[in-house]
Amino acid sequence: MMFESKLASAWIENEFLRLEYLTTTGPRIVGLYAREHECNLLAETPNIHWETPHGEYFLRGGHRLWTAPENPFYTCPEEGLSVIEENDSVTLKGWVDAACLEKEITIRLEDNRVHLSHRITWHGGYSIQIAPWSITQLRLGGIAILPLPRKDGLSPDRNIVLWPYSQLRDVRFELLDDRMLLYGRGMEQAFKAGNHNAHGWLAYSLGNALFVKRFAVQNGTYPDMECNVEAYLKDACIELETLGPLSTLKRNESVTHEETWEVHVGDYAFTTEGIENVFRQLT
C-alpha cells in the first residue's frame, strides 16, 4: 500500500474558526476547526490514491476544486502551489497542471463564516466547456440535508438525479417531499445523488456542529442533468458538492464560483425532530 508523507501546511483563524491549508501543493483546504467542537470537521484520507493519465493522484481529504462533467483526463497530480497573503485573505494558486488547467481558491474568514472564491483558468490551445465544481469532504457520522424546491401548480418542480452505482434501497438515503437526507455511514457501496437546488444551501449536521454551504443560484445550463448540488458517500467520507453553470473557455479565460461556509455550534440532535428544526432554520 502506498502512503503519502505529511505535507506542509499553515492556517488562518479568528475567535470562531481555524482553517488549515496546504502550502506546497493544492489548492487544498485540509482542516476546519470550530471553537467548542472536538475535532476537524473535514475528512482526512491520506491513504486514498489512484492512477491517472498524468500520474498518481492523492485524494488527501478536505476541500478541493474540480471540473465537471467528470473526465479522468482532467484529474492530475497536484505538483506545486503559490500562497498569496493579502489584507485579510489568503489565495492558494496551483501551478498549471498536465491538463492545462490552473486552479485557485481565495479564502477569507468572517466570524463563523468562510468565504471562498474558486477560479479555474484554461491554458490549452483549443476551447473547452466546463463547470467549476467545489467538493468538500466531511467526516462520517452525521446527516447531510439537501433541500428540494416545492411550488404550487401543475408543472414539475424538482429533479432528483442518481448515479449508476446508487441504489434507492440504500439505508443511508432518505427521500422526503421537500428534502433528501444522506446518513454519513461508511459502506463499501458508493451512493451519490444530486438535484437543481433553488434554495442556495446544503448542510451537514455532525455532533454539536452544523456545517452549511451557501452559494448563488445562477441561470445557465448545468452538468449532470442540471445539478448544482451533489452529495457522495462511500467508506471514507461524505462529500458535499456545489457546481456552477457550464462555461466555454478559450485559452487564458477563467470561470469563477463563489461559496460561503457557515459553522454553527449548538444542540443539533441526531433525531428526526432535530433535523426538522435545522431544515426550518435554514429554509
Side-chain angles (χ1 to χ4, degrees), residues 172-184:
R172 299 166 297 176
F173 176 60
E174 184 176 358
L175 178 62
L176 304 175
D177 289 336
D178 56 4
R179 78 203 79 162
M180 293 186 285
L181 302 178
L182 268 70
Y183 294 84

Side-chain angles (χ1 to χ4, degrees), residues 121-151:
T121 303
W122 171 242
H123 292 276
Y126 51 91
S127 297
I128 61 167
Q129 186 180 58
I130 59 171
W133 186 4
S134 165
I135 301 177
T136 306
Q137 294 182 293
L138 296 152
R139 300 177 71 94
L140 295 172
I143 302 176
I145 308 170
L146 286 73
L148 297 171
R150 294 293 305 278
K151 297 179 181 178

Side-chain angles (χ1 to χ4, degrees), residues 264-281:
H264 304 273
V265 178
D267 183 14
Y268 298 102
F270 198 86
T271 63
T272 300
E273 181 180 0
I275 296 303
E276 181 68 30
N277 290 337
V278 168
F279 183 78
R280 289 177 178 174
Q281 174 185 332

